[in-house]
Amino acid sequence: LSMGAGLVSILSSLTSRHFFEWCIQPTLSMSLITLYPLRRVNRDVGQRPFANGQFLLFSRSQYEAIGGHAGVKDAILEDIAFARAVAADGGRARVLRSDGMLRVAMYGTLEAFRRGWQRIFIEACNRRPGRMFKTGVRQAIFGLLIPSSIIGLASLATFGDIPTHDVIASWSVIAMICLLWISSLWVTYTINGAPKWSI
């Protein structure tokens, strides 16, 4: 609270004990961070209020000013509601990374995982269908379009009736796309502490 913030929240390191945590959770959490980039969350002007409910530290005056938990009792996600209430009150909310100091297991079953992340994204998108659609499209491009493009280009280069120099160019493009895609996944999974083989 020495940074003058009325609310400080920490992004925890999520556990990777289950198959769905290994394979899906890193991309979901990074997608959430693209909706709420820390540089945007933590700036004073034009901030995008965000907080992680796993760690919320208030100044007493800020907590009382926004009505405490009673002030967000109708919210689906009280953490984001708290951050928005602090911003609306003219206060400052700050989000920091835990870098492994705080580890959290979010959901124990696949069904709880699905429902929980669905709830998170509905509220993170402020219940706006257009924003949810854009987030879904971004995930689809990253998770479906890129690998489909790789397979399509590889099939064309292997089985297509094209000149040799075009085959070489195609494989060069495929290699570059694969390198960039795997590198971004490597960074994402490393940040989330997920095993690399789960990429």
Side-chain angles (χ1 to χ4, degrees):
L1 299 178
S2 62
M3 27 181 150
L7 167 61
V8 173
S9 185
I10 290 180
L11 292 177
S12 60
S13 299
L14 303 179
T15 59
S16 298
R17 299 172 303 160
H18 304 289
F19 179 77
F20 52 86
E21 289 178 315
W22 297 331
C23 296
I24 309 169
Q25 191 162 255
T27 54
L28 289 177
S29 59
M30 291 309 286
S31 183
L32 185 62
I33 291 300
T34 62
L35 286 171
Y36 293 91
L38 290 185
R39 67 182 184 281
R40 180 86 184 266
V41 169
N42 289 328
R43 68 187 185 192
D44 293 327
V45 178
Q47 66 175 291
R48 183 171 289 170
F50 180 77
N52 178 19
Q54 297 155 1
F55 186 100
L56 299 169
L57 179 64
F58 292 91
S59 68
R60 180 173 185 147
S61 59
Q62 185 68 80
Y63 182 75
E64 290 175 348
I66 62 173
H69 277 73
V72 297
K73 63 181 173 59
D74 295 325
I76 294 176
L77 290 179
E78 75 283 352
D79 47 10
I80 294 179
F82 272 133
R84 289 173 180 161
V86 167
D89 187 56
R92 296 169 66 188
R94 293 291 179 262
V95 179
L96 309 171
R97 291 174 43 86
S98 76
D99 293 327
M101 291 186 292
L102 174 65
R103 295 190 60 77
V104 174
M106 287 183 64
Y107 304 107
T109 66
L110 180 58
E111 179 56 23
F113 179 87
R114 186 192 64 77
R115 282 187 288 105
W117 276 101
Q118 182 181 43
R119 179 176 57 92
I120 289 168
F121 274 101
I122 287 172
E123 198 63 18
C125 292
N126 213 11
R127 305 184 199 185
R128 288 162 45 195
R131 196 168 180 196
M132 284 186 271
F133 179 76
K134 280 168 58 178
T135 302
V137 167
R138 189 165 48 238
Q139 284 293 99
I141 288 171
F142 194 72
L144 296 174
L145 188 60
I146 292 176
S148 298
S149 300
I150 292 169
I151 292 169
L153 278 171
S155 299
L156 182 64
T158 304
F159 304 112
D161 186 19
I162 57 177
T164 303
H165 65 277
D166 287 343
V167 171
I168 294 169
S170 296
W171 281 110
S172 299
V173 170
I174 291 167
M176 187 179 305
I177 293 171
C178 285
L179 182 63
L180 291 171
W181 189 47
I182 295 298
S183 297
S184 65
L185 285 171
W186 187 276
V187 170
T188 297
Y189 280 60
T190 299
I191 289 172
N192 283 271
K196 304 302 183 296
W197 60 262
S198 63
I199 291 174

